[in-house]
């Protein structure tokens, strides 16, 4: 099977559970991944957009991405599609999500 290997080049800040005394254990994975991705764009000088908080991510998803209002101030998971929409609206970065068999 042929494939393409891609690696991240450049610096980024790693965001992880319980960082900054914020308890997102069990539900914050995609939020933290999104924060890490945005930090990479910032550190490569591709954007000046600040790394958002959980609240800011939720607000943008509700107001700009048609997510339900009950996402605000909740511990609801977000997924790859939410991360993709956020990156598109905030940074103009188009993502493609692919399903692959294991």
């Amino acid at each position: 099977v042929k494939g393409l290997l891609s690696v991240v080049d450049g610096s980024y800040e790693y965001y992880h559970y319980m960082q900054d005394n914020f308890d997102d254990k069990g539900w914050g994975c995609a939020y933290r991944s999104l924060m890490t991705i945005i930090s990479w764009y910032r550190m490569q000088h591709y954007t000046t957009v600040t790394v958002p908080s959980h609240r800011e991510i939720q607000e943008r998803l509700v107001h700009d991405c048609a997510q339900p209002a009950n996402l605000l101030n909740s511990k609801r998971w977000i997924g790859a599609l939410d991360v993709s929409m956020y990156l598109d609206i905030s940074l103009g970065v188009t993502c493609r999500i692919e399903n692959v068999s294991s």
Side-chain angles (χ1 to χ4, degrees), residues 3 7 16 20 40-41 54 81 83 85 92 96:
V7 295
H16 54 85
D20 300 324
W40 181 86
Y41 278 94
H54 290 72
L81 185 57
V83 170
M85 288 187 298
R96 183 173 74 194

Side-chain angles (χ1 to χ4, degrees), residues 47-68:
T47 186
T48 58
V49 171
T50 59
V51 175
S53 66
H54 290 72
R55 171 76 182 177
E56 291 167 330
I57 293 168
Q58 290 176 342
E59 288 173 350
R60 170 138 283 176
L61 290 173
V62 169
H63 298 298
D64 298 333
C65 301
Q67 292 298 317

